[in-house]
DNA sequence: TCTTATATATATCAAATATCGTTTTTGACA
DNA sequence: TGTCAAAAACGATATTTGATATATATAAGA
């Protein structure tokens, strides 16, 4: 059985994907990124969308920035964020398909 | 503007999904769960599939067990694991669509 | 210009959690 | 009893999180 496409290649990919998963594995960051899927948003708007206290949100946005997932632009008083990572966008898309806002509780687990 | 479908409902869903993301946000766990998508596997087989040292893998499997993502069954010397959470399966499916083993590096981020 | 208000960012601290390597146990057999 | 396979127990270090306080940038007034 020829280990599919080399173990270490899989491991590298897994690490990459795992990092991205970790970035999104916090409710505030997840909600923020979901909101950004709809388009550019100010911090204030994200605050409203996530319900997170401002310093918390700011810190999480800083993290997403560092990780290259979002980019910021300042316009006078406000700072506007937007998604800047296609991988993250694809992941969110996929998650929405799988768990979309309307997902019925199928209880099909076994 | 009627906050879409109640903020707190979104927050609850986000927390749920974020927990799942966190469970899978580690290379070893991610690889193990991916392997289990193909069917039941012994710890030994998972060890080979993930390349992780036995105690590490065991620890991660224990965590997935606690979180209800996998179930174990002992057959004589070996222990066989299988996926037991449809949500996790759906998520992996989604990830595979988004990042499938053959994903080209599209570099479409901007 | 000096002040004040608003929006956002950064800093700090303690508690909780995660991760990793190593060692020790346990369970099921031969 | 000896031996595998797998789990659990340790111990060290690092990261995350939430709360709270403080700082910066820009704009608007007096």
């Amino acid at each position: 059985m020829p280990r599919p496409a080399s173990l270490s290649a899989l491991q590298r990919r897994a690490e990459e994907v795992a990092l991205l998963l970790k970035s999104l594995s916090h409710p505030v960051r997840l909600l923020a990124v979901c909101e950004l899927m709809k388009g550019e948003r100010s911090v204030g708007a994200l605050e409203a969308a996530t319900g997170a206290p401002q310093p918390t949100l700011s810190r999480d946005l800083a993290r997403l920035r560092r990780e290259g997932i979002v980019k910021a632009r300042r316009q006078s008083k406000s700072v506007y964020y937007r998604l800047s990572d296609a991988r993250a966008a694809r992941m969110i898309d996929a998650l929405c398909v799988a768990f979309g806002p309307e997902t019925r509780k199928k209880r099909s687990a076994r």
Side-chain angles (χ1 to χ4, degrees), chain A residues 63-81:
Chain A
R63 174 178 173 163
L64 292 173
R65 243 185 292 134
R66 261 181 272 116
E67 289 164 340
I69 294 175
V70 303
K71 286 223 159 89
R73 163 182 82 86
R74 169 158 229 146
Q75 177 174 322
S76 92
K77 281 191 191 178
S78 298
V79 173
Y80 294 86
Y81 280 84

Side-chain angles (χ1 to χ4, degrees), chain A residues 87-104:
Chain A
R87 298 171 314 147
R90 264 188 292 152
M91 183 171 296
I92 296 291
D93 265 338
L95 290 179
C96 283
V97 172
F99 298 86
E102 322 294 58
T103 305
R104 294 278 163 277

